[in-house]
Amino acid sequence: MTVPVRVALMGLGQRGLQHLNSLWALQEEGLVRLTVLADAFAGNLETNKIRNYVGGFRPEGILHTTSFKELLGREQDALYVCIPPNVHSGEVVRAARAGLHLFVEKPMSLYLDEALDMEAAITEAGVLCTAGFQQRFDGRHEALHRHLREGRRPLMACYTYHGALEGHNVKHHRTELHGGPGNRVWTANRAWSGMTVVEGGIHLLDLWRYWFGDVEWVQAHYQHRSEEDIFEEADNPYTYSALFGFAGGSVGTMTLSRLRKVFADHMDHQVLWTEGRAEIFWEGVTTYEYQGAYPPTQPPPEDAVTKTLFAGRGGDDTFAISQVFVQAIAEGRPELIRSPFGDAMNSLAAVIGANVSDELGGERVDVHRLLNDDRFAAFRQKP
């Protein structure tokens, strides 16, 4: 008989509710027992509100609290930490020391010293911990991961995303009560988001690490927003260009923007290896690779080299990452976790390193030195 994993969840914002929806499904399967739901705002804990996002939710047997101390006082096995990355106050360290396995949403912090303290506490306590990089579980990305592992040597990834500055408000966190933007559009504000390479680009950078290996260095340049063009505390840069160098020699180029008054998004994602290329779309992955005798007697038509590697949106990766995390705890199998906290530190350091590079005038920043050298101490500190 399977003993359900006892799980608490802190932070019922948009992402926390998505995780709660997955955990509720796992509870219905008998794999999880929810013990505590915690949030800084009591209104987010109301059953009727939760039911708008989690169908069939029942509050019986689950403590609802605004107190982290009260959360830690309950018997449980694991904690999901789904709070904004700039408002951590030692919760991950305290939970690790209490022996709780941890799911920490990305970015784990906006400050490297704080994240390093989390990592040290997790390692010392010997608990399992995953960072919230669910895109490694997307079927599209898994298919490309396998494809590259079949003897293909990756060379480059190119990602472009242009998102509306006014989009992606927090919906549930009253940022205005914590010194944040009054309109709650946290992705437009540097103090809340850490700027766009950290807030959004980290997902793609972590995918590249899944395919290519660790980042060794980063070099970046941003076009910063003019003072007269800052409305409602939307002070993030206009555009971002970042180049990441990986241990195996691959590179990743990331081009992002947050422009006002556009109200339209654009995405393009390409991965290149020595003898082929892949395009990753919202609805699948297409590869371009010639498989016949080489050299051909004449250039093959495009449809002869085009293949659908994966069709569809890739499935519910948010559910998949929780399913695997719960299984890892229940069976004592840490190897199932694809983004252990210590491994995910390279993703966090790389994107924060892009900010540092821009601040240093486009200097190439070595990621290991950023995490360890005195020269970068000021860039690691939490204000």
Side-chain angles (χ1 to χ4, degrees):
M1 179 178 176
T2 300
V3 177
V5 176
R6 299 169 297 177
V7 178
L9 187 148
M10 178 175 64
L12 286 171
Q14 176 175 301
R15 195 65 185 136
L17 286 165
Q18 291 168 350
H19 286 306
L20 179 57
N21 191 55
S22 297
L23 290 168
W24 186 255
L26 290 168
Q27 176 161 303
E28 295 290 82
E29 295 179 17
L31 301 175
V32 160
R33 180 162 68 83
L34 286 161
T35 57
V36 185
L37 297 179
D39 195 276
F41 304 101
N44 289 338
L45 297 166
E46 294 177 0
T47 297
N48 288 337
K49 179 180 180 180
I50 293 173
R51 282 177 176 159
N52 289 331
Y53 302 90
V54 183
F57 174 77
R58 300 182 301 277
E60 291 79 18
I62 304 173
L63 171 68
H64 292 57
T65 181
T66 59
S67 166
F68 181 68
K69 181 178 180 180
E70 189 173 19
L71 179 154
L72 280 185
R74 293 290 291 263
E75 287 191 4
Q76 55 224 337
D77 304 305
L79 171 65
Y80 277 59
V81 181
C82 305
I83 60 178
N86 65 325
V87 300
H88 285 274
S89 186
E91 296 89 354
V92 170
V93 170
R94 291 166 62 189
R97 289 173 177 168
L100 298 182
H101 303 296
L102 285 157
F103 187 117
V104 183
E105 254 306 329
K106 52 62 59 180
M108 301 90 78
S109 173
L110 299 185
Y111 315 105
L112 288 173
D113 275 350
E114 183 173 63
L116 287 166
D117 287 344
M118 295 176 187
E119 180 187 15
I122 290 162
T123 301
E124 183 178 348
V127 297
L128 301 185
C129 181
T130 185
F133 290 114
Q134 80 279 352
Q135 291 198 23
R136 293 190 179 203
F137 291 85
D138 186 302
R140 298 168 300 168
H141 305 147
E142 288 186 289
L144 186 54
H145 180 76
R146 291 191 298 269
H147 196 66
L148 292 172
R149 290 296 183 274
E150 293 172 355
R152 294 171 177 86
R153 182 165 67 87
L155 300 174
M156 175 182 285
C158 306
Y159 179 73
T160 297
Y161 184 76
H162 302 306
L165 180 72
E166 300 88 350
H168 204 20
N169 70 311
V170 292
K171 300 179 181 65
H172 307 279
H173 190 105
R174 299 176 66 184
T175 55
E176 70 276 14
L177 299 183
H178 289 164
N183 64 356
R184 304 187 186 180
V185 184
W186 70 282
T187 54
N189 179 269
R190 65 173 62 199
W192 277 76
S193 68
M195 297 190 283
T196 303
V197 176
V198 173
E199 170 265 316
I202 193 171
H203 267 307
L204 273 298
L205 187 281
D206 187 74
L207 270 182
W208 295 348
R209 288 189 55 241
Y210 187 43
W211 299 328
F212 302 163
D214 277 355
V215 178
E216 289 188 334
W217 56 264
V218 56
Q219 196 164 9
H221 176 74
Y222 306 161
Q223 290 180 285
H224 290 270
R225 195 167 300 274
S226 303
E227 288 290 334
E228 62 271 18
D229 197 26
I230 296 175
F231 291 82
E232 296 183 310
E233 301 174 73
D235 59 353
N236 272 340
Y238 296 109
T239 66
Y240 307 76
S241 299
L243 179 65
F244 299 91
F246 294 85
S250 306
V251 295
T253 65
M254 191 178 292
T255 305
L256 311 173
S257 72
R258 289 284 188 183
L259 303 181
R260 198 161 59 84
K261 300 184 179 181
V262 176
F263 295 104
D265 294 350
H266 168 76
M267 188 273 284
D268 180 72
H269 193 188
Q270 310 270 340
V271 176
L272 291 74
W273 52 95
T274 52
E275 296 178 343
R277 174 171 66 89
E279 288 184 271
I280 303 157
F281 305 97
W282 293 117
E283 299 295 340
V285 181
T286 300
T287 59
Y288 303 90
E289 268 181 314
Y290 175 67
Q291 300 291 345
Y294 189 83
T297 55
Q298 58 184 6
E302 184 174 323
D303 60 0
V305 299
T306 304
K307 177 183 176 182
T308 298
L309 185 67
F310 188 92
R313 289 296 297 269
D316 187 347
D317 52 7
T318 295
F319 177 81
I321 192 174
S322 279
Q323 185 180 43
V324 167
F325 179 55
V326 167
Q327 182 185 2
I329 295 169
E331 299 178 5
R333 296 176 62 194
E335 71 275 8
L336 296 178
I337 295 175
R338 296 185 188 176
S339 297
F341 195 100
D343 176 81
M345 280 296 298
N346 185 255
S347 293
L348 181 64
V351 293
I352 290 178
N355 290 355
V356 175
S357 174
D358 172 72
E359 191 167 339
L360 295 175
E363 177 182 323
R364 180 177 289 195
V365 173
D366 179 277
V367 172
H368 178 78
R369 291 185 60 208
L370 176 62
L371 286 167
N372 295 280
D373 282 12
D374 289 343
R375 183 198 171 199
F376 296 104
F379 294 104
R380 295 193 297 265
Q381 293 171 1
K382 186 172 184 176

